Amino acid sequence: MIDTADMLRAFAPHRGNSIVIPGRGGRHWTQISDQPNRDLPVGDPAMGGHASFGLGVALSLPDERVILFDSEGDVLMNMGALPTIAEKAPKNFYHFMLDNECYATTGGQPVPNAKSIEYDVIARGSGYPATYAFDNLEDFASSIEEILGQPGPVFVALKVEPEVENTPIGARVRWQTRSRTQVIDDLKVELGVEGP
Amino acid sequence: MTQHAEGELSPEVVMAEMKKNGVTHVVWLPDSETNFLYLLMEADPDLDLIPVSREGQAFSTAAGLTVGGKKPVILIQNTGMMESGDSLRGWGLSLNIPVVMMVGYRGWTRHGVNTDTAATYTERFLNAFGIQYYLVENGEDAPRISVAFEEASRTRRPVAVLVGDEYHGFNR
């Protein structure tokens, strides 16, 4: 099992100018990122949508490398997004997935068949041309350059330690420093994007 | 060009509305009301079709596309729209995404006697979310599509076009 914050710290030096959608890793990434205006920490607008959101960002900005840190709960909820990503095949899209084997934000209940799913196999079967799976930080860290050095879409499954929350949602400390709409507006300004 | 009976909604007219409003991507899941557009869209080199397998994916995909300044339209059926409630809320409304969703109005009848609960709950669903909508049944109604695009852009919200022209189209 990998510590999510350690994994993101290992990734950070390889980020370059990538647009990063930190997904469920947002709490840590906002403390690590040195280019917040190229990040899209939109939190969890609606569970299961991050993969499709990342696809849309990648297709709309083909000259930018787009990196998503998805979760296994989100992927399970909309597994049908994987064939769409594979069909559209954005060469600039890198789909990392944090697999903590549970719904951590609701108390740590296991996802269906938590310990036996091979998400990299599912991604490969959906048509991703390159897939990886890691359960320790050392192997992941030594492979990041190779992962990001090939054309997307690439899928990377990462076994991470659960960070279970048991306090009521209303009592939790918000890690977001900007609203979701502000995050998007800041990126558009950063990239000089006009339009809707 | 395919011949269409007077009063029908032709795919060419709908395409013209989409082009006039600068649509770049069509995020869609086939349905019986809007399938007449498929071959036309596929043949258009300026349109990028993104097929989804569950309608909720359409809203998050569209949200991502607008981040990069693109102008998607969502093409789904009312059944799938209702399945997509949380995605519409989270990825559409809460992110202020100005997207038009063209929704096949399964079960719609002008006389109001419907036998399909998909139609029964369609407008109630949209009203519950505070989504403005426009009914398009034939070519004369087509300019309402532009009204929907203008309203989505001005209000930075999703706006619906309800397509009430089943099986009159291109693939028949």
Side-chain angles (χ1 to χ4, degrees):
Chain A
M1 286 284 194
I2 302 169
D3 178 84
T4 297
D6 288 345
M7 182 275 294
L8 291 171
R9 277 190 284 269
F11 159 75
H14 302 272
R15 178 244 180 99
N17 280 325
S18 305
I19 294 167
V20 176
I21 306 167
R24 305 277 170 187
R27 173 189 309 278
H28 301 296
W29 183 249
T30 51
Q31 306 295 315
I32 296 168
S33 174
D34 58 359
Q35 297 188 76
N37 285 354
R38 295 182 76 89
D39 295 335
L40 283 167
V42 292
D44 181 24
M47 190 168 178
H50 278 102
S52 299
F53 179 68
L55 170 67
V57 174
L59 291 175
S60 70
L61 296 166
D63 296 328
E64 304 285 344
R65 187 165 64 184
V66 176
I67 292 172
L68 165 67
F69 289 97
D70 208 346
S71 83
E72 97 282 17
D74 285 278
V75 167
L76 283 170
M77 194 170 276
N78 255 322
M79 204 171 268
L82 301 182
T84 296
I85 292 167
E87 178 177 322
K88 299 309 292 183
K91 296 190 184 313
N92 58 333
F93 186 49
Y94 298 81
H95 189 175
F96 295 80
M97 190 206 72
L98 313 181
D99 174 14
N100 62 11
E101 302 181 352
C102 70
Y103 297 110
T105 58
T106 60
Q109 306 89 340
V111 302
N113 207 20
K115 295 189 178 300
S116 304
I117 303 178
E118 295 180 78
Y119 294 97
D120 58 318
V121 174
I122 292 171
R124 190 157 58 249
S126 298
Y128 278 66
T131 63
Y132 295 82
F134 299 98
D135 62 5
N136 69 81
L137 183 61
E138 292 70 29
D139 288 348
F140 171 67
S142 64
S143 301
I144 297 174
E145 207 166 305
E146 175 190 318
I147 291 167
L148 298 178
Q150 60 192 298
V154 179
F155 184 90
V156 182
L158 299 158
K159 284 282 186 187
V160 299
E161 294 167 5
E163 297 173 354
V164 175
E165 297 186 74
N166 275 316
T167 52
I169 287 175
R172 293 176 190 171
V173 177
R174 281 178 59 81
W175 55 263
Q176 292 92 341
T177 57
R178 297 174 287 165
S179 70
R180 290 168 178 155
T181 52
Q182 187 65 51
V183 159
I184 292 172
D185 288 345
D186 288 347
L187 178 68
K188 285 184 165 184
V189 170
E190 176 77 13
L191 300 178
V193 170
E194 296 179 356
Chain B
M1 179 176 288
T2 305
Q3 294 297 312
H4 295 278
E6 189 176 350
E8 289 183 1
L9 181 62
S10 84
E12 289 84 0
V13 167
V14 175
M15 274 287 285
E17 288 291 321
M18 289 165 56
K19 304 284 280 188
K20 187 166 73 180
N21 286 283
V23 169
T24 58
H25 293 75
V26 179
V27 190
W28 74 300
L29 200 153
D31 70 83
S32 54
E33 287 79 12
T34 50
N35 72 353
F36 57 79
L37 273 172
Y38 173 59
L39 292 180
L40 271 185
M41 294 189 304
E42 196 180 45
D44 191 315
D46 296 328
L47 278 183
D48 193 353
L49 304 190
I50 303 178
V52 296
S53 50
R54 185 78 259 178
E55 289 84 349
Q57 297 159 20
F59 292 95
S60 42
T61 305
L65 288 164
T66 63
V67 168
K70 302 304 181 188
K71 194 165 188 179
V73 66
I74 291 172
L75 209 59
I76 55 177
Q77 193 179 58
N78 51 357
T79 49
M81 177 186 72
M82 289 187 272
E83 165 80 10
S84 305
D86 195 44
S87 295
L88 168 60
R89 175 201 63 77
W91 294 101
L93 291 167
S94 85
L95 294 183
N96 297 346
I97 303 302
V99 67
V100 168
M101 46 179 170
M102 295 191 62
V103 179
Y105 202 164
R106 198 189 87 180
W108 160 253
T109 62
R110 296 204 103 195
H111 47 75
V113 180
N114 89 69
T115 57
D116 187 338
T117 56
T120 305
Y121 297 110
T122 293
E123 293 180 49
R124 298 179 195 182
F125 175 94
L126 289 165
N127 287 329
F129 281 83
I131 302 285
Q132 182 61 276
Y133 56 88
Y134 297 91
L135 176 65
V136 173
E137 295 178 288
N138 53 52
E140 291 181 0
D141 295 339
R144 297 176 191 170
I145 297 171
S146 284
V147 172
F149 275 105
E150 185 281 325
E151 183 164 334
S153 179
R154 176 170 44 81
T155 62
R156 296 179 63 82
R157 289 171 62 87
V159 173
V161 171
L162 298 177
V163 181
D165 182 34
E166 187 168 10
Y167 294 126
H168 290 173
F170 199 75
N171 282 336
R172 195 167 46 138

